[in-house]
Amino acid sequence: MVVILGLFLFVPVIMAAWVSVSDWNGRGSPFSSNVHFVGGTHYAEMLGGRGLAARDFGTAIRNNLYYVLFVVPLQTAISLGLAFMVNKRALRGKGFFRTAFYFPSVTSTVAITVLWLFLFSASGAVNAVLSWLSIQGPNWFADPRGVFHLLMGGGDAPAALSQPGLFGISTWEWIAGPSIAMAAFIMMAIFTTSGTFMLLFLAALQSIGEDTDEAAMVDGASVWQRFWYVTVPLLRPTLFTVITLGLIGTWQVFDQIYTGSQGGPSKTTLTPAFLSYQSAFESQRWGRGAAIAFILFAIIVIMTLLQRLILGDADPTKPSRRQLRADRRAHAAAAEVVTPAPVRADETIDRGGGRHG
Amino acid sequence: MTSVAMADQLAGKGAARAARRRKHRMEGGFRRPGWLTYLMLSLFIVISVTPLYYAFLLSTSTAADIAQNPIPSPIPQGHFVENLGRVLNAGIGFWQALVNSVIVSVVTSLAVIFFSTLAGYSFAKLRFRGRNGLLAFVIGTMAVPTQLGVIPLFIVMSNLGWVGTLQAVIVPGLVTAFGVFWMTQYLSEALPYELIEAARVDGCSMIRTFWHVALPAARPAAAMLGLFTFVGSWTNFFWPFIVLGSTNPTLPVALQLLQASYFKDLSLIMAGVVLATVPLLLLFAFAGRQLVSGIMQGAVKG
């Protein structure tokens, strides 16, 4: 199986690297003699130029950046909150809640996109509900206006910000925020992925068990303290997994865009993954498509390392230990009265067996 | 045996009474979740179930009704079978797509479970040269985005002459880095060396040890992996769309075609959505509870 993995993952990466620096046009083998090495031309076109390629690429990066910035924190927070609520020992109908929350995750993105297109159409259900509240809903998937621009009052760009900046995109365009069309996609992503991540958090919560929580409770920690200073630090490995999977998933948005908007309106839902597909498979510019995929890869790796750094540094256990220790001192007298807990023989054997691993 | 009964034997009546008292007090501390929890959970239920039920409602209605009123009555209308018939005869090849999706998903999940468990067992329990390096390499491949692989993978497939055939979708998915990583983590915790040694002493070969000891021990994690893989390949769009195209589609690809060619006819499209979604929902509704409780019994040890 290492062979299969190698054949279908490692070799392609090498080939993609070659295609991204060659002028291969999709016909014949990319390794034949009439394919030439063109160096970093494809990369330079997108990263340095002022042309259409650079502007499209910059727009795609901007769109996807906002998508990631909204989706990843929200879906992580919601799935963690759901898992925490569903994990409560005395909750009735646990199984029902778990199953129901996972439902949106088992539907394909294409199916949900088709549904979303109708829900958020001009005369769709969402706007009908909004009109009950006498709100005039936007024509979601046809509205390119940036959410931040709207919040700022929606005027024209100040002259100072309208100069072409990073990747050929003006600063005014960079701070536009996700367009209203993109906002609908953001809601969709949160709707479909929170259930899966809730299951991951739930599994981790179960493996932590209730002992630590009980210990903190005996020490007099409140619900909020127990959640923030005991559970969350213990969940750190799962948190890391969820955020990493979230980053990888959100930087590769393609299905929704292809089925739903094809990058429109006004390119505000263009994403690097869709741009890469378009360049390679529709415009036959394979080198550019591969180069975009490589830049995307670099972005994902950098973001993952960055979040590891941030998660490693901002250590929420540090204040909590101090605080809990203080609490413990205050409760020391009470603790001494309590007799030592009886040994749970079954559990000891369990752990002893597992420790060899 | 409960801890209280255990204490009864170990430390006599006095300690048992104390333990019982303590246990009682502890449970008093875990109050029943208040109405606020139920309110929030119910709100999320409404949000997560309504859109799907709404799609079902639309699929039982007619296009003319939907155009008149985007919010139909909450009672299903009688046009579902009729709409379903129209989907199957829409010239998209929905029957074929359904069969293709079943084949791809079943073969992929079984293969992923088997190969990942085999690889996970080797990484977790066998000692061989270069083990750590190889494991790090496998995990590293998880960071490679699909987009990067797709262009060269397409070149490979067209050289093999596999474009448009199901094995082009199945073969690259036979083993996943995530699966290997997942099973390695699980087996290194859940399978004690004593069991393997006992099997060896009893004269089991390496393969038999794997088959009779490691595979059963891996069951809870394998169930979860199987569920994720099945859902993943059932809903996968990008790669099947690229390599299969419209002639031999899987369900998501067929659904996209349906949306592109009949975008005015919502009841038809929604019937397609229901058809693509319901098999998975049924699977999940019947097997899901066992699967989820299996997951809860063991997987993901920190």
Side-chain angles (χ1 to χ4, degrees):
Chain A
M1 52 269 143
V2 175
V3 176
I4 296 182
L5 258 181
L7 197 67
F8 287 102
L9 269 164
F10 197 62
V11 175
V13 170
I14 304 282
M15 284 173 75
W18 164 244
V19 171
S20 79
V21 293
S22 77
D23 63 352
W24 184 58
N25 61 1
R27 254 167 271 136
S29 163
F31 298 106
S32 69
S33 57
N34 52 2
V35 176
H36 307 99
F37 176 72
V38 296
T41 321
H42 297 302
Y43 292 93
E45 264 174 12
M46 278 176 302
L47 297 176
R50 287 256 187 266
L52 186 65
R55 251 180 296 133
D56 276 357
F57 181 71
T59 312
I61 293 285
R62 185 217 42 195
N63 297 339
N64 214 335
L65 187 66
Y66 279 118
Y67 183 81
V68 172
L69 286 180
F70 277 92
V71 172
V72 174
L74 282 173
Q75 81 189 4
T76 310
I78 289 175
S79 55
L80 179 58
L82 285 179
F84 195 65
M85 281 195 281
V86 172
N87 190 42
K88 282 198 178 145
R89 203 198 320 203
L91 186 80
R92 280 174 215 272
K94 266 185 197 181
F96 167 71
F97 282 120
R98 282 174 190 164
T99 315
F101 289 143
Y102 190 59
F103 258 33
S105 304
V106 302
T107 53
S108 77
T109 326
V110 178
I112 290 287
T113 309
V114 170
L115 179 62
W116 228 248
L117 283 177
F118 177 64
L119 280 178
F120 284 83
S121 66
S123 59
V126 169
N127 281 355
V129 171
L130 283 178
S131 72
W132 294 344
L133 309 168
S134 29
I135 299 171
Q136 168 83 46
N139 186 0
W140 296 83
F141 282 105
D143 200 330
R145 290 175 297 168
V147 170
F148 291 171
H149 276 176
L150 285 178
L151 288 178
M152 288 183 286
D156 283 334
L161 298 179
S162 57
Q163 296 301 316
L166 200 57
F167 297 134
I169 300 291
S170 71
T171 315
W172 180 246
E173 285 299 313
W174 273 105
I175 60 170
S179 70
I180 290 185
M182 195 51 127
F185 280 130
I186 288 172
M187 285 185 252
M188 193 181 103
I190 296 168
F191 170 76
T192 46
T193 45
S194 294
T196 313
F197 291 141
M198 178 203 73
L199 277 191
L200 286 182
F201 276 129
L202 207 50
L205 279 175
Q206 303 260 323
S207 78
I208 289 172
E210 276 144 359
D211 297 0
T212 36
D213 207 37
E214 280 175 15
M217 200 176 63
V218 169
D219 286 347
S222 71
V223 177
W224 189 242
Q225 280 175 323
R226 292 206 306 269
F227 174 72
W228 203 240
Y229 295 122
V230 178
T231 313
V232 172
L234 283 170
L235 282 177
R236 175 95 48 89
T238 316
L239 209 57
F240 180 72
T241 312
V242 166
I243 296 179
T244 306
L245 289 176
L247 282 175
I248 293 175
T250 47
W251 272 109
Q252 297 185 43
V253 213
F254 174 83
D255 304 4
Q256 306 72 325
I257 309 298
Y258 183 82
T259 314
S261 63
Q262 299 268 332
S266 306
K267 296 188 177 170
T268 57
T269 61
L270 200 63
T271 64
F274 182 70
L275 197 64
S276 166
Y277 162 80
Q278 244 186 351
S279 312
F281 289 92
E282 283 178 4
S283 325
Q284 306 295 322
R285 295 172 158 256
W286 296 80
R288 182 183 290 176
I292 295 174
F294 253 102
I295 299 172
L296 195 59
F297 179 41
I299 291 174
I300 292 173
V301 170
I302 291 169
M303 288 281 255
T304 309
L305 293 178
L306 209 64
Q307 71 117 344
R308 170 149 241 172
L309 214 68
I310 293 167
L311 266 187
D313 280 350
D315 191 343
T317 54
K318 275 173 193 159
S320 86
R321 281 203 189 122
R322 225 177 295 133
Q323 210 169 327
L324 285 176
R325 219 175 291 135
D327 278 353
R328 212 168 287 147
R329 247 176 263 128
H331 288 266
E336 268 163 32
V337 179
V338 179
T339 45
V343 179
R344 284 177 59 180
D346 48 349
E347 201 178 306
T348 323
I349 291 166
D350 250 24
R351 297 234 170 118
R355 207 166 283 151
H356 289 279
Chain B
M1 200 179 277
T2 65
S3 57
V4 176
M6 197 61 113
D8 216 21
Q9 283 183 338
L10 289 178
K13 295 277 194 259
R17 221 174 294 133
R20 208 169 290 137
R21 226 181 299 132
R22 194 164 46 244
K23 193 158 184 267
H24 183 74
R25 199 163 50 220
M26 297 280 255
E27 261 158 29
F30 279 92
R31 266 169 292 137
R32 286 214 158 271
W35 59 272
L36 194 67
T37 309
Y38 281 106
L39 185 77
M40 282 181 67
L41 284 175
S42 310
L43 190 73
F44 276 110
I45 288 277
V46 170
I47 295 174
S48 69
V49 174
T50 309
L52 298 176
Y53 183 65
Y54 184 66
F56 172 67
L57 278 185
L58 293 182
S59 75
T60 65
S61 189
T62 62
D65 287 348
I66 296 170
Q68 267 180 2
N69 184 8
I71 303 183
S73 79
I75 304 141
Q77 313 291 307
H79 302 278
F80 181 64
V81 178
E82 172 197 327
N83 286 330
L84 207 58
R86 289 200 297 145
V87 170
L88 294 174
N89 296 320
I92 307 279
F94 247 83
W95 275 120
Q96 198 193 358
L98 191 66
V99 173
N100 282 348
S101 275
V102 170
I103 295 173
V104 168
S105 304
V106 169
V107 173
T108 310
S109 348
L110 289 180
V112 163
I113 289 176
F114 180 77
F115 286 125
S116 301
T117 314
L118 192 61
Y121 172 67
S122 325
F123 278 129
K125 295 294 162 186
L126 304 180
R127 295 195 182 81
F128 54 91
R129 204 185 295 182
R131 177 173 79 161
N132 292 336
L134 215 54
L135 185 61
F137 169 72
V138 169
I139 293 171
T141 58
M142 280 204 290
V144 180
T146 1
Q147 268 73 30
L148 192 56
V150 156
I151 294 174
L153 202 54
F154 186 77
I155 301 171
V156 171
M157 288 305 165
S158 60
N159 282 341
L160 288 172
W162 284 6
V163 173
T165 63
L166 285 188
Q167 65 257 37
V169 178
I170 293 173
V171 172
L174 283 181
V175 76
T176 56
F178 174 74
V180 174
F181 167 68
W182 177 264
M183 294 315 288
T184 306
Q185 274 222 318
Y186 181 76
L187 281 175
S188 66
E189 288 256 342
L191 182 62
Y193 278 111
E194 284 87 341
L195 267 180
I196 302 170
E197 278 155 21
R200 291 260 173 79
V201 169
D202 287 349
C204 277
S205 66
M206 197 128 90
I207 300 296
R208 280 193 63 182
T209 313
F210 168 72
W211 193 257
H212 292 290
V213 178
L215 263 186
R219 207 175 288 155
M224 174 116 168
L225 181 62
L227 175 73
F228 277 171
T229 313
F230 195 92
V231 173
S233 58
W234 186 271
T235 59
N236 190 15
F237 174 70
F238 189 45
W239 177 239
F241 160 71
I242 299 253
V243 80
L244 292 181
S246 54
T247 47
N248 192 20
T250 58
L251 274 176
V253 181
L255 199 59
Q256 197 278 323
L257 286 168
L258 194 71
Q259 148 79 8
S261 36
Y262 292 89
F263 58 93
K264 284 269 184 281
D265 194 346
L266 266 167
S267 58
L268 177 75
I269 294 170
M270 289 305 154
V273 167
V274 170
L275 187 65
T277 310
V278 160
L280 218 47
L281 287 185
L282 285 181
L283 176 82
F284 194 69
F286 286 122
R289 214 165 259 206
Q290 280 86 347
L291 283 172
V292 173
S293 61
I295 297 156
M296 294 316 148
Q297 271 162 23
V300 218
K301 296 265 179 180

